[in-house]
Amino acid sequence: MEQRNNLVLQGTETFSRGQLDNVALESGSVVLDSAAGRYLPYGSYTTSEFAMPAFCNLNVSWNAHAPHNTLVEVRCRVYAGDSWTGWLSFGKWAPDYPRCSVTAQSEDGMIFLMGDTVTVATPGGGTGIQLQVNLSTNDDKETPALRLLAAAVRPLVWEKQTGHPLNRRLYLPEYCLNAHDPAFGREMDLPLVMAALMNRWGEDILPEEVAYVMEDSATRSTGNAAFAAAAAGCCGYPCWQAWMDLKDLRAQIHDGCSVAVRVERKIRGQRDPVGVWMGLRGFGHDDAVLADFVLLNDPTAENDGAVNCTMALTDFLRYFTGRAIALRQKPRDIEANRPRRILCELEKGDGEGSYFFARRGQRDPLPEDFSGWIAASPHDGVAHATTAHRTFRRMQRTGNGGVQFTAEQLAVGGRQSVYAVDQTGTMRVAEVRLPTPPPPEAPAPQNDHQSDGQAAAKRPEP
């Protein structure tokens, strides 16, 4: 059997080779089986056992359509040391479910799962994998649908290939960490890159929408790459994690597809290098110095938001960890859960600068458990390439569920777009025209004779 370190399963023919238990194949996806027009509450799909090159790390990805009241749980097991581990779960997942990564380990403690990565410490590494997907529903009229399942391993002995030199540049929107939601800190880099990868295909999704639909509730962060791939998948884009060498990266760019790459770099205030997700947008050659270079988008850039950067190929190969996320163009007939937008109006509240979202004439306060992102963006007359390129000013939820403009925003006035993204990635959007403050009054002009008289009155008598 041919051994590949990146495995992507999709389509009816491929899925039909696995074991189906209370599930069926429909339009190239794995769905719950049905009886008398009602979906069964639970089912599972198990792949064949796959031989892999000896590996130390395993990453699993999935793309699924998961309507409300449905769940997907992906599990894996590893063959190492002449035996199979038990099943390790990556956590239950759905776009509107509080996703939590899981920490687990094998009985001997030599194989353990933390977040999105399985690490194999067994001498000789792992040599085989098997995947399982559990589907469930609490609504017999709805079923989740598994569209893609992928596994990627980092070989213990990795004979990396360079492929053929390539000179190609792709467009990739530039989003900077400093201009977006600071709630997730530096780990907002992955949602920024994922939004850019989708928006280059015309999606126009905000990084905050991506962040809150991929947030790992166990760590309160957006660093889980498995959830990132799942978030792109529920927007309709085929997306998966991979361990890539230079040949693989060049093949992606050759096919016109940017990828997210994990690069080790120095961050201000950090003593040791840290991993940063960047967008790879091309390769080139400098004839002046006879050197190849790599074109990247670094969302953590601090030089006035200069996200796009160039790195010598030799330096890139030194700092690139091999982890990547591939994303392909959305098929036209795909069904997507996200982005989910709710068009609203803004209704004036009682306090100065206080407003409420309203729908169809009814006030719709933000719920008490709202823990997302609220921001306003002024209409500056500039035709931005994507909404995420606009300037955002953070807002706060009021105690009674409204939104509060700051004094600075009120001082500017004018037309504003207001966005509120909740913890499920659902976004409310509305527009309002704030009153334009009157210009400051000019000082009254003084009469020349009056000025002379006042000046004479101030002079001391001789």
Side-chain angles (χ1 to χ4, degrees):
M1 178 185 294
E2 180 186 1
Q3 295 185 349
R4 297 174 293 168
N5 72 310
N6 292 311
L7 183 69
V8 180
L9 308 176
Q10 58 181 332
T12 300
E13 181 180 353
T14 301
F15 283 140
S16 64
R17 298 169 189 162
Q19 177 183 338
L20 292 86
D21 183 10
N22 288 339
V23 296
L25 298 177
E26 182 180 289
S27 302
S29 300
V30 179
V31 300
L32 288 169
D33 208 347
S34 60
R38 299 177 181 273
Y39 288 109
L40 301 180
Y42 178 85
S44 66
Y45 170 78
T46 307
T47 70
S48 304
E49 298 173 356
F50 296 101
M52 306 293 281
F55 63 90
C56 55
N57 294 121
L58 164 67
N59 295 94
V60 175
S61 310
W62 61 91
N63 297 166
H65 176 68
H68 185 59
N69 285 328
T70 68
L71 283 175
V72 175
E73 181 189 22
V74 179
R75 307 198 299 173
C76 75
R77 64 175 187 158
V78 174
Y79 187 80
D82 298 326
S83 64
W84 285 96
T85 66
W87 290 103
L88 303 172
S89 172
F90 289 88
K92 295 180 178 179
W93 176 89
D96 56 1
Y97 182 79
R99 301 157 299 281
C100 290
S101 61
V102 176
T103 298
Q105 64 182 18
S106 59
E107 291 183 0
D108 59 6
M110 299 297 289
I111 302 173
F112 53 92
L113 165 64
M114 292 186 65
D116 60 1
T117 303
V118 176
T119 300
V120 181
T122 305
T127 56
I129 64 168
Q130 189 174 25
L131 307 178
Q132 185 179 80
V133 182
N134 296 324
L135 308 179
S136 60
T137 182
N138 288 328
D139 182 349
D140 59 17
K141 297 299 182 183
E142 297 284 359
T143 177
L146 174 71
R147 293 192 287 237
L148 180 148
L149 187 60
V153 300
R154 187 185 190 283
L156 285 174
V157 180
W158 196 356
E159 298 179 1
K160 298 182 180 179
Q161 305 295 314
T162 60
H164 299 291
L166 183 67
N167 188 5
R168 186 175 189 187
R169 306 183 182 203
L170 302 177
Y171 167 72
L172 190 64
E174 303 172 30
Y175 303 140
C176 184
L177 194 69
N178 295 335
H180 289 274
D181 189 359
F184 296 110
R186 195 197 56 75
E187 285 195 343
M188 187 69 181
D189 58 345
L190 185 51
L192 290 166
V193 174
M194 295 304 297
L197 293 180
M198 288 185 276
N199 286 351
R200 73 178 294 264
W201 297 112
E203 185 62 48
D204 197 22
I205 192 170
L206 287 178
E208 287 75 14
E209 292 178 273
V210 181
Y212 282 96
V213 81
M214 63 171 280
E215 180 184 10
D216 185 346
S217 298
T219 59
R220 307 304 300 178
S221 72
T222 54
N224 190 311
F227 290 169
C234 69
C235 291
Y237 293 87
C239 184
W240 62 93
Q241 297 185 83
W243 286 93
M244 295 189 180
D245 57 18
L246 182 57
K247 179 181 178 180
D248 296 325
L249 296 178
R250 281 172 163 165
Q252 293 290 329
I253 298 298
H254 178 271
D255 291 345
C257 295
S258 294
V259 295
V261 292
R262 183 82 165 172
V263 177
E264 297 282 348
R265 57 154 290 186
K266 283 278 191 179
I267 296 289
R268 180 181 298 179
Q270 297 281 349
R271 184 184 66 179
D272 299 321
V274 297
V276 176
W277 285 100
M278 300 185 185
L280 174 66
R281 55 187 178 86
F283 294 93
H285 182 79
D286 189 341
D287 292 329
V289 295
L290 299 177
D292 294 325
F293 58 85
V294 180
L295 299 168
L296 299 164
N297 277 9
D298 179 4
T300 65
E302 299 176 354
N303 299 325
D304 299 325
V307 173
N308 56 4
C309 61
T310 301
M311 185 182 295
L313 180 62
T314 53
D315 290 336
F316 174 76
L317 294 178
R318 185 180 305 120
Y319 302 130
F320 174 47
T321 64
R323 287 196 68 182
I325 299 177
L327 184 144
R328 292 291 172 132
Q329 187 175 9
K330 179 194 299 188
R332 293 184 178 181
D333 58 347
I334 205 74
E335 189 174 9
N337 293 90
R338 295 294 190 277
R340 180 187 293 170
R341 278 80 179 262
I342 302 174
L343 185 60
C344 303
E345 304 86 35
L346 280 180
E347 177 184 297
K348 187 74 174 67
D350 296 333
E352 180 69 17
S354 173
Y355 285 81
F356 287 88
F357 285 104
R359 284 191 282 171
R360 294 182 290 275
Q362 297 294 321
R363 182 176 290 188
D364 186 21
L366 295 174
E368 291 185 7
D369 62 348
F370 180 89
S371 60
W373 172 79
I374 312 172
S377 175
H379 289 240
D380 52 12
V382 177
H384 297 282
T386 68
T387 304
H389 281 99
R390 298 175 66 172
T391 300
F392 297 91
R393 295 287 182 266
R394 289 294 301 272
M395 301 176 67
Q396 298 296 325
R397 177 190 179 277
T398 63
N400 53 359
V403 296
Q404 180 67 48
F405 284 96
T406 65
E408 180 184 357
Q409 292 168 323
L410 294 174
V412 175
R415 189 177 168 198
Q416 303 264 349
S417 291
V418 180
Y419 307 89
V421 182
D422 68 18
Q423 54 269 40
T424 71
T426 300
M427 182 172 74
R428 305 184 194 201
V429 58
E431 289 190 3
V432 66
R433 185 175 292 277
L434 298 177
T436 302
E441 295 183 3
Q446 293 183 332
N447 184 285
D448 290 340
H449 296 290
Q450 181 183 10
S451 300
D452 292 342
Q454 292 175 343
K458 293 180 181 179
R459 287 197 296 267
E461 295 183 0

